[in-house]
Amino acid sequence: DESLEYMKFWLNSVKMHAREAPLLIVGTHLDSIDASQLKVVDKHLRKLVNKSRFPQVIYNSEDLDLVFFPVSNLNRAGINEVRKKLDEVAFKQRFVNEKIPVRWIKCLDMMFEDESASFIYMKDVRTLGKTVEITSMEEIDMMLQLFHDLGMIIHFTSTPTLNDIVTLSPQWLIDGLSKIIRDRELHKYNAKKIRDVGLEDEVQKMFEEAIVSLDLMEYFWEHNTVEFLIDLMKRTLLISDWAFDGQHDGNSFFLVPSLLHEQKNTNQNKKPTNVHR
């Protein structure tokens, strides 16, 4: 049930933010289970996934008649089937066969000229656009939307802050978000550096209470594009404002739902008094 609730959260998030995007559910460890167990997993998934609730989910119906695609990272079983389905679905998308103006391709190439750049500001995109005779903001927006749909860039437009940055490297986003959302045991911070900057209590509060401070975010992100990353995490429901602790010395706090956990009470005679849901 816990796993299904976790998956439900992410399915709803995709449905909210990318309603028309096709979605494949991929399950790993195929090398560890047999065909009968695949059907058991499928049965549980079908309680959550159906065409009326999540119509964008692509079923694995050709060979196995499953709602998901089982793969093995150990022996690569099932990988080719996923690739084949991805190609098949991608070529059916309307934007794949659209004719693209040559000037758009030229502008895209110039955006990627600096191989070390992880993102580019909108004002710089406009400057590059003018060099290839893209003069209107309407055309700039159309170009960026198409390249976003094709997965060549990432560009969110729901707020002015998000609209102002065009992401060239998805890994940059992943690295930024994973500074906050991570497993404490698997991905440890440099304890000495954290102590040296006086943020040891802040890190402890983040992992124990799922509350992260603006000071800690600015440290993790090196005071770079902090407003953008916070806005992105808010819009994708990865964090929310936390006002219950108030603001201390101008610091702000955010709740990180994915870090919430049930805290064990060492006193067997008392009911838990600090449980996060």
Side-chain angles (χ1 to χ4, degrees), residues 156 162 173 177 227-236:
F156 302 104
L162 293 179
L173 281 183
L177 301 185
E227 186 178 354
F228 170 82
L229 291 170
I230 288 177
D231 212 7
L232 174 61
M233 294 187 77
K234 283 184 178 181
R235 290 288 166 172
T236 52

Side-chain angles (χ1 to χ4, degrees), residues 59-264:
Y59 284 34
N60 183 8
S61 55
E62 293 183 8
D63 300 318
L64 300 175
D65 191 26
L66 301 173
V67 75
F68 71 106
F69 291 78
V71 301
S72 169
N73 291 327
L74 186 64
N75 59 30
R76 313 296 290 173
I79 298 294
N80 287 335
E81 286 74 10
V82 173
R83 287 175 174 167
K84 179 182 177 182
K85 181 58 69 173
L86 286 173
D87 286 341
E88 176 187 320
V89 172
F91 279 112
K92 290 180 180 179
Q93 303 308 300
R94 57 169 181 76
F95 46 77
V96 171
N97 296 311
E98 284 186 15
K99 293 182 178 180
I100 301 176
V102 174
R103 60 182 178 274
W104 289 14
I105 301 296
K106 290 181 178 179
C107 186
L108 182 68
D109 287 342
M110 288 189 291
M111 287 165 59
F112 280 92
E113 277 185 355
D114 183 356
E115 295 182 359
S116 65
S118 298
F119 62 88
I120 183 172
Y121 288 103
M122 179 62 82
K123 62 180 179 62
D124 296 321
V125 175
R126 290 199 296 267
T127 299
L128 294 177
K130 289 178 181 179
T131 66
V132 292
E133 300 182 354
I134 304 176
T135 57
S136 71
M137 271 307 302
E138 182 180 3
E139 187 174 358
I140 290 285
D141 290 340
M142 290 173 59
M143 175 187 71
L144 293 177
Q145 182 62 55
L146 177 62
F147 291 146
H148 173 87
D149 289 342
L150 289 171
M152 305 174 81
I153 60 170
I154 299 175
H155 185 227
F156 302 104
T157 59
S158 54
T159 71
T161 299
L162 293 179
N163 186 65
D164 192 45
I165 287 181
V166 179
T167 301
L168 305 177
S169 169
Q171 190 61 50
W172 170 71
L173 281 183
I174 294 170
D175 291 343
L177 301 185
S178 65
K179 296 286 181 62
I180 307 297
I181 301 175
R182 61 200 290 149
D183 188 296
R184 185 177 193 173
E185 299 304 321
L186 295 178
H187 307 287
K188 298 181 183 295
Y189 297 117
N190 186 313
K192 183 180 183 303
K193 288 184 177 181
I194 294 293
R195 284 195 301 271
D196 289 346
V197 294
L199 291 173
E200 194 171 13
D201 290 342
E202 306 275 356
V203 171
Q204 184 175 353
K205 184 180 182 69
M206 181 177 75
F207 282 121
E208 293 186 358
E209 302 178 36
I211 304 297
V212 60
S213 69
L214 178 59
D215 285 347
L216 191 59
M217 288 177 157
E218 289 179 337
Y219 168 74
F220 284 150
W221 296 330
E222 299 176 347
H223 299 271
N224 186 29
T225 63
V226 173
E227 186 178 354
F228 170 82
L229 291 170
I230 288 177
D231 212 7
L232 174 61
M233 294 187 77
K234 283 184 178 181
R235 290 288 166 172
T236 52
L237 306 181
L238 295 176
I239 62 171
S240 60
D241 290 304
W242 183 260
F244 297 97
D245 287 342
Q247 294 185 349
H248 307 282
D249 299 325
N251 201 2
S252 301
F253 296 90
F254 304 89
L255 174 68
V256 188
S258 61
L259 295 181
L260 288 171
H261 61 91
E262 184 171 325
Q263 295 187 357
K264 297 178 180 179

